[in-house]
Amino acid sequence: CTPLDATPLPRGSWLLELELEGHHLVRYPVSLGRQERWDGVDDSGVLRTVPLPRADALAPDEVYVPAGWCIIGGDEKANYPQPGRRVWIDACFVQLHPVTNQQFLTFLDALVADGREALALQCVPRIRAGHHGGEAPMIYGRRPDGGFELVADCDGDLWDPQWPAMMIDQQSAWAYARWLGSRDQLPWRLPSEWEREKAARGVDGRLFP
């Protein structure tokens, strides 16, 4: 029963499960080195509680990442390796899976239906590698009604609707997040690099597979 104060644990990685009737189960990871202390005091010296979201606050494809300390960086095989360091990251909600082609097609079709075809054409995935001058070819095709659909790519391969949407630039990703937030009446945005890294790797510095 919380609060836990000066509770001894062997060093290693732990997963605490915080339960309260009527609330979502919160999985709170903890990483302890030799003689280390783990607490909820953030980088400004403030003791932070761990809010437990209501049971109906999360959709099946959403995950609550509680605030706390974690190890960021330290993966020498990363594309742009950074030294490992311990940082505090505030709580956030993240989607469990990447945005799919089908979800992105729904977004583009909604823009067209709303009279924002120009924005849809800016956001549609395009072939960029090796293209010189002019507008890069679209990866999606157009339907007779003006909407978008999956078509065979330049190699003749047809992308699966449930594959992650690819070949999208940052501005298009932000546009999708703004549209999703407006549709769901929720403050969706892109995760920061550290938020994404904590959600993917946990708190103990493990390598992202």
Side-chain angles (χ1 to χ4, degrees):
C1 181
T2 59
L4 302 176
D5 186 23
T7 301
L9 287 173
R11 67 176 179 171
S13 295
W14 297 83
L15 184 63
L16 310 184
E17 294 188 340
L18 308 179
E19 297 179 283
L20 180 65
E21 185 176 355
H23 291 72
H24 189 77
L25 173 70
V26 171
R27 294 179 172 87
Y28 187 91
V30 169
S31 178
L32 290 173
R34 184 182 298 275
Q35 298 298 313
E36 280 187 347
R37 175 184 175 86
W38 185 281
D39 55 34
V41 177
D42 65 17
D43 50 1
S44 63
V46 176
L47 178 61
R48 304 274 290 272
T49 59
V50 181
L52 307 184
R54 298 188 314 274
D56 60 353
L58 276 79
D61 62 343
E62 296 170 6
V63 176
Y64 173 58
V65 182
W69 294 97
C70 70
I71 296 174
I72 294 297
D75 181 0
E76 296 181 355
K77 294 184 178 180
N79 287 337
Y80 303 99
Q82 300 292 326
R85 57 195 183 280
R86 190 170 180 262
V87 299
W88 176 276
I89 297 179
D90 287 335
C92 60
F93 294 90
V94 298
Q95 293 187 344
L96 182 61
H97 301 292
V99 175
T100 65
N101 284 314
Q102 185 59 62
Q103 290 171 320
F104 207 76
L105 286 166
T106 299
F107 157 62
L108 296 175
D109 287 353
L111 292 180
V112 173
D114 196 36
R116 295 189 287 171
E117 182 178 13
L119 177 58
L121 290 172
Q122 290 176 17
C123 293
V124 68
R126 293 180 180 274
I127 298 173
R128 295 182 177 85
H131 184 77
H132 300 286
E135 189 173 54
M138 296 190 307
I139 292 175
Y140 294 165
R142 301 293 300 272
R143 304 192 308 268
D145 64 0
F148 293 83
E149 63 182 352
L150 291 174
V151 294
D153 62 17
C154 58
D155 294 323
D157 298 322
L158 184 63
W159 291 11
D160 191 290
Q162 298 309 312
W163 284 356
M166 298 178 286
M167 304 300 289
I168 294 167
D169 61 25
Q170 187 181 50
Q171 295 304 315
S172 301
W174 273 112
Y176 175 85
R178 287 191 295 268
W179 168 82
L180 187 67
S182 177
R183 188 196 69 175
D184 295 350
Q185 295 298 296
L186 292 170
W188 285 117
R189 59 172 174 82
L190 300 186
S192 71
E193 180 62 19
W194 285 4
E195 288 171 335
R196 185 206 63 79
E197 190 166 336
K198 179 181 179 181
R201 297 177 66 190
V203 304
D204 56 5
R206 68 186 64 189
L207 303 185
F208 180 55

